[in-house]
């Protein structure tokens, strides 16, 4: 059910019961954490879930890591505080890739999240728990975080809507930092309308986060738009990339579907996009190595009983952190070392600026950039792929984070019996325009595309 349909109904206990009864298979919810919202709020009685790297006072925030297995949040994230004030009620914390590093949700200390459409496949990551929980019908929406596609990619894999707003739209206060210049809270829901409502509730300037910006346009106002007045571009790299054949065919169908409804679609060359994965995997691990330095056994979480400070640091991080987190910390530390800072990190920042400026220029001419959300279908659990193969799964989602642009994944039917999602990237701080385009497309697909059997 949508949020509007649930107004005036208290379904908190029903939601908790559903999670307890059904989630043993999916492993999408780590813990039930019941916190009722403002009883006088418009949305009282409507439940939601929060990814376990977002703080809620008095609850555990583990980041799906052994090192924070028993860490209790001392305060509540601004975004969650706003939802509670509006009446929404928290019912639990969702599973994720450890410290949000991963795109299959297999990098969790508490075990992988399974895809509701095929429990032998991954849910996507790093917000895979939130995506799977919404897809399974536990709650009408859940919060995730998106650093390089961590809301949109699992949304595509699980057949739900996943939205990453413009950088600065929603406060990051209370979010465990992975890569601060890229991180954003995002929303996963079954409809674009619900996404718009939730983001409208959370958005706004926050004195506790200096990167936040004011946005005065109501995101929920008049979501219908005439597609014949919309210009969409498709980067040529989509056709040059080695896509799964079923993904390629489904994307062709999506393009034709939109053309038939009047949208103007053009293919353009954006050669700068060839560098997005390389740039991201220099900048993100570098910021992560700095942000995660505080998890050393001194103040937060797990502490090894080793003798001596250096030995305590080493053994705490050795036993407390998973392999992917260690890999990215090492990558980032290398990039920031005195010998390689200028060669890698400094150069990556310059290329990031070039990519961002190019995307801004393109979006002065087009309303949105369209790609598949992911170049592949959800891998099977335990499928042996190299780190590089995993990293390339983010090739279409990373650009929006590098440039701080809003981006959304919306379901577009099925391929090989699994959900397929298309991604639209919009103009900076013009989230309302992107949501209108996405709403109109999603409503059309809901009415006209065949359902999966």
């Amino acid at each position: 059910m949508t949020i509007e349909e649930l107004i005036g109904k208290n379904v908190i206990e029903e939601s908790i019961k559903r999670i307890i009864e059904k989630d043993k298979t999916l492993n999408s919810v780590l813990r039930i954490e019941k916190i009722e919202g403002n009883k006088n709020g418009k949305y009282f009685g409507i439940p939601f879930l929060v990814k376990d790297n977002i703080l809620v006072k008095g609850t555990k925030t583990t980041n799906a890591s052994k090192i924070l297995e028993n860490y209790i949040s001392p305060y509540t994230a601004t975004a969650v505080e706003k939802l509670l004030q509006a009446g929404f009620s928290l019912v639990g914390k969702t599973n994720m890739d450890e410290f949000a590093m991963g795109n299959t949700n297999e990098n969790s200390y508490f075990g992988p999240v399974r895809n509701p459409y095929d429990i032998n496949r991954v849910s996507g990551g790093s917000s895979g728990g939130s995506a799977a929980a919404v897809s399974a019908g536990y709650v009408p929406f859940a919060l995730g975080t998106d650093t390089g596609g961590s809301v949109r990619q699992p949304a595509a894999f699980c057949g739900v809507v996943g939205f990453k707003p413009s950088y600065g739209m929603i406060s990051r206060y209370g979010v465990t930092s992975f890569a601060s210049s890229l991180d954003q809270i995002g929303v996963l829901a079954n409809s674009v309308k619900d996404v718009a409502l939730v983001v409208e509730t959370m958005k706004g300037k926050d004195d506790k986060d200096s990167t936040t910006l004011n946005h005065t346009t109501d995101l929920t106002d008049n979501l219908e738009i005439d597609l014949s007045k919309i210009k969409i571009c498709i980067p040529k790299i989509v056709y040059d990339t080695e896509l799964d054949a079923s993904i390629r065919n489904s994307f062709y169908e999506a393009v034709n579907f939109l053309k038939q409804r009047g949208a103007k679609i053009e293919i353009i060359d954006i050669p700068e996009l060839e560098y997005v994965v390389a740039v991201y995997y220099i900048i993100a691990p570098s910021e992560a190595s700095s942000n995660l330095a505080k998890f050393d056994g001194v103040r937060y979480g797990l502490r090894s009983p080793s003798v001596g400070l250096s030995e305590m640091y080493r053994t705490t991080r050795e036993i407390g952190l998973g392999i992917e987190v260690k890999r990215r910390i090492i990558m980032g530390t290398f990039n920031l070392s005195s010998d390689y800072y200028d060669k890698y990190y400094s150069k990556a920042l310059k290329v990031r600026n070039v990519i961002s400026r190019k995307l801004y220029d393109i979006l002065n001419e087009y309303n949105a950039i369209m790609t598949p959300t992911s170049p592949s279908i959800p891998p099977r659990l335990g499928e042996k792929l190299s780190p590089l193969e995993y990293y390339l799964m983010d090739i279409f989602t990373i650009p929006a984070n590098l440039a701080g642009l809003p981006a959304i994944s919306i379901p577009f039917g099925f391929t090989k019996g699994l959900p397929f999602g298309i991604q639209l990237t919009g103009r900076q701080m013009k989230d309302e325009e992107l949501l209108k385009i996405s709403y109109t497309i999603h409503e059309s697909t809901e009415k006209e595309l065949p359902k999966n059997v």
Side-chain angles (χ1 to χ4, degrees), residues 66-323:
K66 181 178 181 179
I67 205 165
L68 291 176
E69 185 176 6
N70 295 304
Y71 179 73
I72 304 297
S73 311
Y75 61 92
T76 298
T78 298
V80 176
E81 195 68 64
K82 288 184 175 183
L83 292 174
L84 294 172
Q85 187 57 38
F88 292 110
S89 297
L90 178 72
V91 293
K93 304 291 284 291
T94 58
N95 204 348
M96 57 183 282
D97 282 299
E98 184 182 11
F99 282 104
M101 298 182 194
N103 45 23
T104 63
N105 222 139
E106 294 175 290
N107 298 324
S108 169
Y109 175 64
F110 303 103
V113 177
R114 296 176 180 271
N115 193 308
Y117 284 89
D118 182 347
I119 61 172
N120 295 311
R121 293 185 181 271
V122 305
S123 62
S126 62
S127 305
S130 293
V134 171
S135 180
Y138 301 160
V139 288
F141 74 93
L143 300 188
T145 59
D146 192 310
T147 306
S150 289
V151 162
R152 290 159 286 154
Q153 188 246 39
F157 282 2
C158 293
V160 299
V161 178
F163 179 60
K164 181 204 87 71
S166 294
Y167 187 83
M169 178 76 76
I170 298 174
S171 172
R172 291 180 296 109
Y173 179 74
V175 177
T176 307
S177 297
F178 165 10
S180 305
S181 73
L182 302 164
D183 296 340
Q184 273 285 265
I185 287 179
V187 181
L188 298 111
N190 286 305
S191 73
V192 177
K193 193 170 187 178
D194 280 357
V195 163
L197 189 155
V198 174
V199 176
E200 177 66 25
T201 303
M202 296 190 294
K203 74 176 188 181
K205 188 74 177 170
D206 180 14
D207 292 339
K208 297 171 182 174
D209 178 1
S210 62
T211 65
T212 49
L213 301 166
N214 278 321
H215 182 276
T216 57
T217 305
D218 188 340
L219 298 175
T220 64
D221 185 43
N222 190 22
L223 284 170
E224 293 282 356
I225 198 169
D226 184 353
L227 289 180
S228 67
K229 297 179 180 178
I230 298 302
K231 285 182 68 178
I232 296 172
C233 71
I234 300 171
K236 183 173 173 288
I237 196 172
V238 170
Y239 299 100
D240 295 339
T241 300
E242 189 175 335
L243 301 179
D244 182 279
S246 63
I247 296 290
R248 187 180 297 278
N249 292 335
S250 293
F251 187 68
Y252 288 155
E253 291 175 11
V255 172
N256 291 330
F257 183 91
L258 295 185
K259 284 182 176 178
Q260 290 166 9
R261 280 145 193 83
K264 299 176 183 68
I265 299 180
E266 299 175 1
I267 299 171
I268 66 170
D269 191 15
I270 314 176
E272 291 83 354
L273 294 184
E274 294 179 24
Y275 306 101
V276 295
V277 174
V279 169
Y280 177 85
Y281 280 101
I282 292 173
I283 293 174
S286 297
E287 294 187 13
S289 72
S290 176
N291 282 325
L292 268 63
K294 59 182 170 284
F295 301 115
D296 55 12
V298 175
R299 186 174 179 184
Y300 303 101
L302 178 74
R303 176 184 292 186
S304 164
S306 304
V307 176
L309 187 63
S310 295
E311 184 67 12
M312 186 266 286
Y313 284 163
R314 188 184 68 78
T315 55
T316 294
R317 291 163 76 82
E318 172 61 32
I319 65 177
L321 299 174
I323 184 64

Side-chain angles (χ1 to χ4, degrees), residues 278 361 453:
D361 289 344
V453 177

